[in-house]
Amino acid sequence: MSNTSDSTRKRYNRIARFFKITESLMEKGKMSLWRKAVWNEANGKVLEVGVGTGKNIQYYPESVEVSAIDFSEKMLEFAREKASIYGKKVDLRLMDVQALDFADETFDTIITTCVFCSVPDPIKGLKELKRVCKKDGQIIMLEHVRSKKPLVGIIMDLLNPIVVRIVGANINRNTIENLKQSNINVKIEKDLMLDIVKHLKCSI
């Protein structure tokens, strides 16, 4: 693991307990509805990348087989608790999306929710998703990105160093461009909150 990845992992281990509080506040808005909509599109053998504290586990459909990864041991501890609470069967593993320990073309569906803001090398991570996704599979993402509105984008750029220092997440990632550079096709791009939070459906 690179030094950047290791420092990010340590940061998320440190703040894992506080994530439960901040996420509960976020879920009071529309985020829970957006998460549920993403998971309603899942089918077959599914990989959730960046399971975190397990905020999506309650939305797992009974019809799918889910593997879920995170590179923070502390986050996974909370995710295991959530799986037990909701009675969901899920294969939880400690793993870095930049170096997935899965064979090529393993999954029918790959889901990420607010993950690629914190992956140290997003292109490397996205190429790994493409590798383990079946040729006729799908990658579904709920991600926040840098706004294309000039003033909003500049504000996000100015605030980004502070946010990264506190929680390790970049608020100005150009995830759409990163997907294109990774040769992943964006089939559906739906704006959920301005042009900052997006629901993306991709193919390879």
Side-chain angles (χ1 to χ4, degrees):
M1 186 178 291
S2 68
N3 290 336
T4 302
S5 297
D6 191 52
S7 63
T8 304
R9 177 180 59 80
K10 289 178 180 178
R11 183 182 290 112
Y12 275 89
N13 277 338
R14 187 173 63 250
I15 65 175
R17 67 180 61 186
F18 301 108
F19 254 60
K20 296 183 72 174
I21 299 172
T22 58
E23 285 172 356
S24 65
L25 294 174
M26 289 174 64
E27 299 308 304
K28 293 182 183 300
K30 294 184 178 180
M31 184 61 74
S32 60
L33 297 176
W34 296 339
R35 292 185 192 279
K36 188 174 182 179
V38 165
W39 279 95
N40 282 342
E41 298 179 351
N43 62 72
K45 192 169 184 178
V46 182
L47 171 65
E48 180 181 5
V49 174
V51 66
T53 61
K55 58 270 186 189
N56 290 324
I57 289 177
Q58 61 181 307
Y59 305 118
Y60 289 177
E62 295 298 332
S63 59
V64 300
E65 175 187 349
V66 184
S67 295
I69 68 164
D70 204 282
F71 70 168
S72 165
E73 300 95 332
K74 294 296 183 182
M75 292 285 190
L76 283 172
E77 288 179 10
F78 290 118
R80 291 188 182 97
E81 290 179 8
K82 289 280 183 63
S84 177
I85 290 171
Y86 291 112
K88 298 289 186 177
K89 185 177 180 180
V90 51
D91 179 16
L92 288 159
R93 301 193 195 185
L94 180 65
M95 199 179 299
D96 186 345
V97 67
Q98 299 168 121
L100 293 173
D101 189 21
F102 296 111
D104 295 356
E105 298 186 49
T106 298
F107 298 99
D108 300 289
T109 303
I110 298 175
I111 291 179
T112 76
T113 60
C114 301
V115 170
F116 275 86
C117 55
S118 58
V119 176
D121 187 336
I123 302 295
K124 189 174 183 180
L126 288 168
K127 286 183 176 179
E128 277 291 271
L129 297 194
K130 182 178 180 181
R131 180 182 67 78
V132 302
C133 186
K134 293 180 180 179
K135 298 301 182 186
D136 59 348
Q138 59 181 346
I139 299 173
I140 304 171
M141 310 176 78
L142 174 60
E143 296 284 344
H144 61 83
V145 302
R146 185 187 188 278
S147 175
K148 290 184 179 180
K149 301 180 186 302
L151 180 58
V152 179
I154 290 171
I155 292 173
M156 295 176 81
D157 290 339
L158 292 173
L159 292 176
N160 192 63
I162 299 172
V163 178
V164 170
R165 192 173 299 114
I166 296 173
V167 299
N170 294 270
I171 60 173
N172 64 345
R173 283 273 171 89
N174 191 341
T175 300
I176 303 298
E177 181 59 32
N178 289 340
L179 284 162
K180 293 176 181 177
Q181 289 186 36
S182 306
N183 293 317
I184 294 174
N185 304 309
V186 180
K187 297 172 62 180
I188 297 174
E189 178 182 343
K190 181 179 180 181
D191 289 338
L192 300 176
M193 187 182 74
L194 301 177
D195 65 340
I196 296 174
V197 180
K198 293 181 179 285
H199 181 167
L200 306 169
K201 191 168 183 178
C202 310
S203 66
I204 61 171

